[in-house]
Amino acid sequence: EATPVEAPTWLLKANVTVFRHADRTPKQKLKFSFPIGERWTQPFVRLLNGEKEEIILRERSQLNLIASAVEEAKGLGADGDDLAKLTQLNNALFSKIDFPGTKAQLKPVYSKKQPGQMRRLTKPTLVFKWGGEVSAITVALKCIH
């Protein structure tokens, strides 16, 4: 009678992961200004929601608000270079929205302070950033048979 042959088993004893700063993907960004006097820029003014300082949008739902503002701006008459920039923003947004580290910084830019006058919002600026993810090298070592 033949005895059953036992299959060899391997036991993973170590896992080494190396992170090097040099292995990051390049950080990239697009910057846009939305002059307050143009009708098509109003969706971006509304995105600021009255905030006086920079706001950062990181979540997918927040980034989708930018996509909605782009579509609304197109409907309000953005054309020429402005339309080209909005299309560029939309393309970057949709291709990078799920990447780690993708974010948008929306900040108000105000007029210079004049004596006796309130500063007024002249334009919101939007900086859309992505990249800078760390690439890891993982080495698994088989040690025991």
Side-chain angles (χ1 to χ4, degrees):
E1 177 174 316
T3 56
V5 177
E6 200 171 298
T9 57
W10 289 90
L11 179 62
L12 179 64
K13 292 295 282 183
N15 182 38
V16 179
T17 303
V18 178
F19 291 97
R20 298 184 320 168
H21 186 73
D23 292 330
R24 287 181 173 270
T25 59
K27 214 165 201 15
Q28 298 182 62
K29 69 180 177 178
L30 294 172
K31 186 173 182 178
F32 303 91
S33 290
F34 303 101
I36 204 87
E38 301 283 336
R39 186 166 169 251
W40 65 268
T41 65
Q42 293 314 300
F44 296 96
V45 174
R46 275 199 314 277
L47 268 182
L48 266 174
N49 201 23
E51 293 290 336
K52 303 288 187 228
E53 302 292 330
E54 169 184 279
I55 58 173
I56 297 178
L57 309 169
R58 293 182 199 274
E59 303 297 320
R60 188 182 226 291
S61 59
Q62 294 173 324
L63 295 170
N64 277 328
L65 293 174
I66 297 170
S68 298
V70 167
E71 288 309 308
E72 191 179 342
K74 287 179 180 180
L76 289 171
D79 59 9
D81 284 348
D82 297 324
L83 183 58
K85 285 180 184 177
L86 289 172
T87 301
Q88 182 186 24
L89 173 59
N90 226 18
N91 292 343
L93 191 60
F94 280 110
S95 64
K96 307 299 179 193
I97 198 164
D98 289 321
F99 282 43
T102 298
K103 68 179 178 181
Q105 296 164 269
L106 189 61
K107 46 185 149 182
V109 177
Y110 293 96
S111 59
K112 295 217 183 308
K113 179 88 172 110
Q114 301 294 331
Q117 289 186 345
M118 295 283 291
R119 290 188 322 154
R120 58 185 171 74
L121 180 66
T122 57
K123 61 184 176 191
T125 61
L126 179 98
V127 182
F128 180 65
K129 296 181 179 182
W130 69 94
E133 300 93 32
V134 175
S135 307
I137 303 165
T138 302
V139 181
L141 305 174
K142 290 185 254 182
C143 295
I144 296 181
H145 176 55

